[in-house]
Amino acid sequence: MAGQFPTDFVWGVSTSAYQIEGAVDADGRGRSIWDTFCAEPNRIANGETGETACDHYHRYRDDVALMADLGVGAYRFSVAWPRVQPTGSGPVNAAGLDFYDRLVDELRAHDIAPMLTLYHWDTPQPVEDAGGWTTRDTARRFADYAGLVADRLGDRVAYWVTLNEPAMMTMLGYGVGVHAPGRQLLLDALPTAHHQLYGHGLAVAALRAAGVAGRIGIANNHTPVVPAGATPGAEPGPADRAAADAYDVLHNRLFADPVLLGRYPSAPAGFASLDELAADTAALATIAAPLDFYGVNYYQPTRICAPDALAAELPPELTDSLPPLPFGFAPFDDSVPRTGFGWPSVPPGLTDLLTGLTERYGTRLPPLYVTENGASYPDEPAADGTVADPERVEYLTGHVAALAAARDAGVDVRGYFVWSLLDNFEWAAGYGQRFGLVHVDYPTQRRTPKSSYHWYRDLIATDRPQ
Ligand code: FCB
């Protein structure tokens, strides 16, 4: 398998700041929307928070040693904006930025290329108080912050990612409110997509102005959308197909088209505000700044039907109080394996996704990196202390094969990052979903590489004979 990849193919692992760092009050860090959200009742499973998480802020040397032993060529992590600008504007909090300086040097000392994500959802609370991504001003603030980070780290960071998954911030954070900042704007959340994308474009310009040459991209969550009948086995009808098209716009094209083509997709019924965004051609020119790579986060395909089935997927407190959306989520057949989250495991979805992006965007698509892929399972140590996770090995084996198939089909994909190095704080699901190649015993912070870690290490070693 590994022999199917060129020797310069980048094997990596991925994490994000709020999910692993802990140390929320250290060295002048300001509050983020996730600190606020976690403190509210009934937001996070078991009332858990990222206050300590994996204590990576203090244990980063141990974690880099784990990566060095794993043999990865790159590590994708995020910088917490509230560590760098505690109030979301103004001068740098040097002590906060120092942490990333140390981390980057530690990575480079182990020949691991840093891939730095500027924004993985932890908006400074004062920025949210001023409107967050509902306001255009946040885009400008974000670009200022990007420039500050680049001034300090621009000479040593190999890859820059502006935003992580703006689609999830729009849908989960502002649309249905199951993530911070917990707003329930439904399709009125669409301007938050535009403002994030404008922030992305301004940040690209700020990075280039700070001397970062090459290797700037974005990490978007993408899903192949499959039209389906409302029940397994039912044939999709025209209403199902229209619903699938609307969902494809919302999840995929709303974020990729502006970045790669400089325009929004045509608005499906119910997406009235999309026309207003599409008229903002000045911002679109900024959003479409040429990129050096395009990051794809893939977990699962999505089956979409006409709206009626939506109610089954959302918590009743939401469905009772909100107007209906123009699509519904259809169940997968029971024969499809599920991860611990209940997500369907469909490796060929990754091939379809990458070949689909290549077909749709053609020469406008820069080289691809799979910036996240992985699965959660309820892994626990056996009596002898080892952690066996054969299901994750199977998930990852299938997805690496799907990646090879995409390359065979002509897709220019140059790297693959497993989500995640460590078990960590999985947002609204708290610590219940374990995604790591390395098990974390939270009370003791003991790290135990799982069998998937050893599997990945062997894959990388075979790929890179010494
Ligand atoms: C992605 C997020 C990442 C993690 C994985 C499981 O959507 O980018 O932080 O939560 O899902």
Side-chain angles (χ1 to χ4, degrees):
M1 162 95 51
Q4 298 172 28
F5 293 89
T7 46
D8 60 355
F9 190 83
V10 179
W11 298 104
V13 284
S14 199
T15 66
S16 87
Y18 191 74
Q19 294 179 275
I20 64 167
E21 286 177 357
V24 292
D25 295 320
D27 298 326
R29 175 186 178 278
R31 282 181 75 75
S32 86
I33 56 173
W34 275 93
D35 299 299
T36 306
F37 193 69
C38 291
E40 292 169 6
N42 304 321
R43 294 294 204 182
I44 313 292
N46 305 315
E48 290 164 342
T49 77
E51 208 173 329
T52 306
C54 306
D55 195 29
H56 170 79
Y57 193 80
H58 299 114
R59 295 167 194 264
Y60 71 93
R61 283 198 182 83
D62 296 344
D63 294 336
V64 173
L66 280 166
M67 286 185 254
D69 184 47
L70 184 56
V72 288
Y75 171 48
R76 175 171 173 245
F77 62 96
S78 78
V79 170
W81 184 356
R83 288 200 194 280
V84 176
Q85 286 181 305
T87 60
S89 57
V92 162
N93 169 38
L97 197 43
D98 284 350
F99 169 68
Y100 300 104
D101 204 291
R102 293 192 294 274
L103 174 63
V104 163
D105 284 349
E106 188 75 9
L107 289 165
R108 286 164 52 90
H110 289 84
D111 285 331
I112 300 170
M115 178 183 273
L116 184 157
T117 303
L118 285 161
Y119 179 76
H120 200 125
W121 305 350
D122 42 1
T123 315
Q125 186 60 46
V127 174
E128 189 60 42
D129 295 341
W133 292 114
T134 67
T135 67
R136 198 181 175 89
D137 193 45
T138 297
R140 292 188 199 98
R141 292 197 197 211
F142 175 64
D144 288 347
Y145 150 71
L148 295 175
V149 179
D151 283 343
R152 180 78 172 274
L153 301 176
D155 55 338
R156 282 163 291 149
V157 167
Y159 306 89
W160 292 78
V161 174
T162 53
L163 303 177
N164 179 70
E165 300 189 354
M168 294 303 125
M169 177 51 70
T170 291
M171 291 196 275
L172 304 181
Y174 289 93
V176 295
V178 296
H179 277 188
R183 305 283 302 273
Q184 295 180 355
L185 305 174
L186 287 187
L187 290 176
D188 290 342
L190 292 186
T192 68
H194 187 59
H195 298 144
Q196 287 181 88
L197 293 173
Y198 186 47
H200 154 80
L202 292 175
V204 172
L207 293 177
R208 299 226 192 268
V212 174
R215 300 187 166 184
I216 301 176
I218 187 169
N220 273 335
N221 185 300
H222 283 297
T223 183
V225 178
V226 186
T231 53
E235 282 299 308
D240 298 314
R241 290 183 196 285
D245 186 63
Y247 189 76
D248 190 39
V249 166
L250 179 61
H251 194 129
N252 295 312
R253 284 180 266 154
L254 182 62
F255 297 88
D257 282 14
V259 168
L260 297 171
L261 305 177
R263 58 171 189 262
Y264 280 103
S266 45
F271 287 59
S273 61
L274 192 50
D275 291 330
E276 281 164 44
L277 308 184
D280 190 359
T281 49
L284 276 161
T286 301
I287 291 169
L291 295 179
D292 306 303
F293 67 90
Y294 188 83
V296 174
N297 296 355
Y298 170 73
Y299 290 91
Q300 54 181 320
T302 310
R303 284 165 58 84
I304 291 292
C305 59
D308 318 352
L310 180 68
E313 293 287 328
L314 287 176
E317 62 273 21
L318 283 185
T319 45
D320 291 351
S321 60
L322 295 174
L325 287 166
F327 49 78
F329 295 97
F332 278 78
D333 192 273
D334 284 346
S335 62
V336 178
R338 302 295 205 279
T339 71
F341 238 140
W343 297 353
S345 170
V346 186
L350 179 59
T351 315
D352 295 348
L353 182 60
L354 299 179
T355 53
L357 287 168
T358 303
E359 275 160 29
R360 180 169 175 82
Y361 298 106
T363 56
R364 305 296 294 267
L365 188 67
L368 296 171
Y369 286 78
V370 175
T371 34
E372 287 182 26
N373 176 240
S376 64
Y377 295 101
D379 315 302
E380 285 305 333
D384 65 358
T386 60
V387 185
D389 58 343
E391 291 170 300
R392 179 171 295 99
V393 171
E394 196 181 331
Y395 180 98
L396 295 174
T397 303
H399 285 79
V400 170
L403 189 66
R407 287 183 53 86
D408 287 347
V411 171
D412 182 7
V413 53
R414 301 192 182 178
Y416 173 82
F417 290 69
V418 173
W419 183 274
S420 182
L421 173 68
L422 303 168
D423 291 341
N424 60 47
F425 177 75
E426 180 44 41
W427 310 116
Y431 295 95
Q433 297 297 333
R434 293 180 175 271
F435 275 90
L437 298 173
V438 175
H439 180 272
V440 177
D441 178 61
Y442 295 108
T444 62
Q445 291 295 340
R446 192 174 53 240
R447 273 84 162 131
T448 307
K450 304 178 190 175
S451 43
S452 58
Y453 173 98
H454 299 292
W455 167 85
Y456 198 38
R457 190 173 173 220
D458 288 347
L459 174 87
I460 296 169
T462 321
D463 189 50
R464 293 244 170 72
Q466 295 301 306

